[in-house]
Amino acid sequence: MELLHKIPVLVRERKNMDILKSKELITALMFTMYQNGNIREQQEKYDMSTLLFYRL
């Protein structure tokens, strides 16, 4: 969770490439998207679930 708190700060500072270059941040984002996709699937929100899995 600590890593995910850094992302909004970097986005506000317009340092998007720093996010993309960081393996730790990208890994945290990927697992968050994966978990969120699973939750949306259980809620039968298949359109959002599909979108999240597609973006991965």
Side-chain angles (χ1 to χ4, degrees), residues 28-47:
L29 280 173
M30 289 174 64
F31 279 111
T32 300
M33 288 174 66
Y34 180 78
Q35 185 62 32
N36 200 335
N38 284 329
I39 291 169
R40 299 298 168 240
E41 184 178 10
Q42 291 170 359
Q43 295 172 340
E44 297 182 2
K45 295 181 179 179
Y46 300 115
D47 54 342

Side-chain angles (χ1 to χ4, degrees), residues 6-16 18:
K6 294 180 182 180
I7 294 171
V9 175
L10 291 170
V11 169
R12 278 193 298 273
E13 294 174 356
R14 299 184 185 264
K15 295 183 178 180
N16 296 338
D18 291 346

Side-chain angles (χ1 to χ4, degrees), residues 3-4 6-7 10 15-30:
L3 289 172
L4 294 175
K6 294 180 182 180
I7 294 171
L10 291 170
K15 295 183 178 180
N16 296 338
M17 287 306 292
D18 291 346
I19 297 169
L20 296 174
K21 291 178 182 179
S22 170
K23 278 187 180 180
E24 294 82 15
L25 290 176
I26 290 297
T27 303
L29 280 173
M30 289 174 64

